């Protein structure tokens, strides 16, 4: 993390934070946060109006830059939201709610809720398929933590299953699945990987049939001690899992089943916008801020107070 960025006024001054967010949400002209109108927008500057308030003549509703975003109706100052977004996107393995609570001077409960709201902005599912134009995509599964209301036993049945697709020199997309079986994994591969791609997996049989649908399918036999034959390997996705597990165990320490997908979105976002791809900490945070619109998350949806005391 570039600590010099923390001296930026947008992280310490409410007016600077608001003006910065306005410039990112409305780079050309202000549009109504309620109806989307570009005409008849008036900035309300009377003494009785709070700074940053606009009025739309089309729908007759007042609005500010935070309306319709994950920052809406928050009592936490906007400059602290921007700082939290920067810290979460700049920290390679994440930053815990306890650390945010200490650095921002807010309660732990507020920091926990804030972190989940920010994670909601980082999900890029639904974008173009991976591996287009003959690119290479690695697919693998892993297990982490313990499922809700499930006692430990032999095998991996008590653990949470994750499937990850990593595009070499590109993006990562991870999915929480009920079980790492063909029924759960194959639809994910089909929906997210271009047919032009070269698919790379280990020897798991669940990929054998679907692998025939792509330009090629390379497999490595880990059980036989094989970890690569030239370009046939899964070292990239295993490297992703290394970062993910170090972050989950070392920073967050615990994650419940219902929240796992948001944590996966956080790690995917940082990996897909990493420094090796030419994305700086500042650019990564700006990209996250562009995703705040239309993703408001309420505390009730995050669910429920009992878990707030156990999550990082």
């Amino acid at each position: 993390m570039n600590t010099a960025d923390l001296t930026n006024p947008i992280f310490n001054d409410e007016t600077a934070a608001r003006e910065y967010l306005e410039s990112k949400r409305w780079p050309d002209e202000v549009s109504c946060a309620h109806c989307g109108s570009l005409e008849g927008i008036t900035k309300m500057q009377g003494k009785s109006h709070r700074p940053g308030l606009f009025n739309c003549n089309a729908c007759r509703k007042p609005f500010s830059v935070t309306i319709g975003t994950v920052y809406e109706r928050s009592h936490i100052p906007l400059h602290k939201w921007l700082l939290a977004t920067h810290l979460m996107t700049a920290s390679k393995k994440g930053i815990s709610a306890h650390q945010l609570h200490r650095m921002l001077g807010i309660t732990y409960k507020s920091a926990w809720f804030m972190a989940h709201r920010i994670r909601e902005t980082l999900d890029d599912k639904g974008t173009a398929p991976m591996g287009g134009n003959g690119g290479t995509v690695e697919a693998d599964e892993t297990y982490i933590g313990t499922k809700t209301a499930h006692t430990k036993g032999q095998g991996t049945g008590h653990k949470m299953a994750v499937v990850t697709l990593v595009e070499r020199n590109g993006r990562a997309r991870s999915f929480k699945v009920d079980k790492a079986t063909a029924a759960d994994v194959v639809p994910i591969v089909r929906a997210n990987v271009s047919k032009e791609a070269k698919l790379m997996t280990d020897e798991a049989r669940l990929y054998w049939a679907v692998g025939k649908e792509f330009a090629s399918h390379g497999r490595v036999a880990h059980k036989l001690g094989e970890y690569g034959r030239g370009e046939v390997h899964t070292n990239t996705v295993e490297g992703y899992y290394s970062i993910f597990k170090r972050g989950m165990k070392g920073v967050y320490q615990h994650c419940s089943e219902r929240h796992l997908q948001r944590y996966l979105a956080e790690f995917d976002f940082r990996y897909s916008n990493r420094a090796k791809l030419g994305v700086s900490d500042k650019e990564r945070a700006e990209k996250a801020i562009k995703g705040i619109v239309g993703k408001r998350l309420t505390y009730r949806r995050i669910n429920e107070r009992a878990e707030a005391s156990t999550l990082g």
Side-chain angles (χ1 to χ4, degrees):
M1 184 190 305
N2 183 358
T3 54
D5 289 340
L6 302 185
T7 63
N8 192 316
I10 68 172
F11 300 138
N12 301 282
D13 179 76
E14 193 68 358
T15 299
R18 175 176 50 77
E19 292 175 349
Y20 168 81
L21 190 59
E22 288 173 353
S23 71
K24 294 302 176 184
R25 183 172 184 181
W26 302 312
D28 300 315
E29 56 184 323
V30 177
S31 61
C32 178
H34 298 292
C35 69
S37 175
L38 294 171
E39 299 180 357
I41 305 298
T42 304
K43 190 169 186 178
M44 305 176 74
Q45 297 178 320
K47 292 183 178 180
S48 61
H49 302 301
R50 57 187 170 84
L53 197 63
F54 297 84
N55 186 68
C56 175
N57 290 334
C59 67
R60 304 291 183 180
K61 293 180 180 179
F63 65 93
S64 69
V65 70
T66 61
I67 295 296
T69 74
V70 294
Y71 303 156
E72 183 179 348
R73 297 185 67 181
S74 173
H75 296 294
I76 298 171
L78 184 56
H79 68 269
K80 294 190 177 185
W81 274 105
L82 295 183
L83 179 55
T85 303
H86 175 82
L87 291 171
M88 286 185 66
T89 55
S91 305
K92 186 173 183 179
K93 293 184 285 293
I95 182 168
S96 71
H98 278 294
Q99 186 68 21
L100 286 176
H101 141 67
R102 291 190 293 269
M103 294 184 70
L104 301 180
I106 59 178
T107 66
Y108 169 70
K109 177 181 172 182
S110 294
W112 180 84
F113 181 32
M114 171 186 270
H116 273 298
R117 276 188 170 188
I118 293 171
R119 290 184 187 105
E120 192 78 359
T121 73
L122 305 181
D123 194 336
D124 76 340
K125 304 294 189 298
T127 54
M130 306 170 74
N133 298 319
T136 301
V137 177
E138 299 178 20
D140 201 7
E141 328 84 54
T142 195
Y143 299 88
I144 191 167
T146 303
K147 288 184 177 180
T148 305
H150 199 298
T151 57
K152 289 189 176 182
Q154 293 184 341
T156 57
H158 65 287
K159 289 183 171 290
M160 296 181 287
V162 173
V163 175
T164 298
L165 308 172
V166 175
E167 190 176 46
R168 289 185 188 167
N169 300 313
R171 301 163 289 170
R173 291 184 193 170
S174 301
F175 304 83
K176 171 191 169 296
V177 294
D178 185 46
K179 295 180 181 178
T181 62
D184 289 313
V185 176
V186 168
I188 291 173
V189 175
R190 283 178 175 151
N192 290 276
V193 182
S194 169
K195 299 302 181 185
E196 303 171 352
K198 293 178 283 186
L199 183 66
M200 301 293 170
T201 69
D202 59 19
E203 69 271 41
R205 295 181 65 88
L206 62 90
Y207 296 107
W208 288 12
V210 72
K212 298 175 183 178
E213 301 175 15
F214 301 96
S216 64
H217 178 200
R219 301 195 299 264
V220 287
H222 287 167
K223 291 182 179 179
L224 299 179
E226 180 185 47
Y227 291 93
R229 299 187 312 279
E231 68 170 12
V232 180
H233 62 80
T234 56
N235 297 338
T236 316
V237 67
E238 287 164 11
Y240 170 91
Y241 280 146
S242 177
I243 297 170
F244 170 64
K245 290 188 175 182
R246 287 202 304 272
M248 293 304 294
K249 293 177 181 179
V251 177
Y252 297 123
Q253 300 180 19
H254 171 78
C255 170
S256 75
E257 195 171 1
R258 70 164 62 94
H259 299 302
L260 178 58
Q261 188 60 55
R262 288 195 193 97
Y263 285 94
L264 290 169
E266 176 189 348
F267 282 88
D268 285 354
F269 177 85
R270 282 195 299 265
Y271 185 89
S272 300
N273 297 279
R274 58 196 183 277
K276 189 176 181 180
L277 297 180
V279 183
S280 67
D281 289 349
K282 179 182 178 182
E283 291 168 334
R284 196 178 308 111
E286 288 180 348
K287 186 171 182 179
I289 288 168
K290 289 180 181 178
I292 66 174
V293 179
K295 294 182 179 179
R296 187 171 172 237
L297 190 65
T298 64
Y299 191 80
R300 180 175 295 180
R301 271 187 60 203
I302 289 183
N303 213 11
E304 288 296 340
R305 296 182 183 181
E307 291 224 339
S309 63
T310 60
L311 292 180

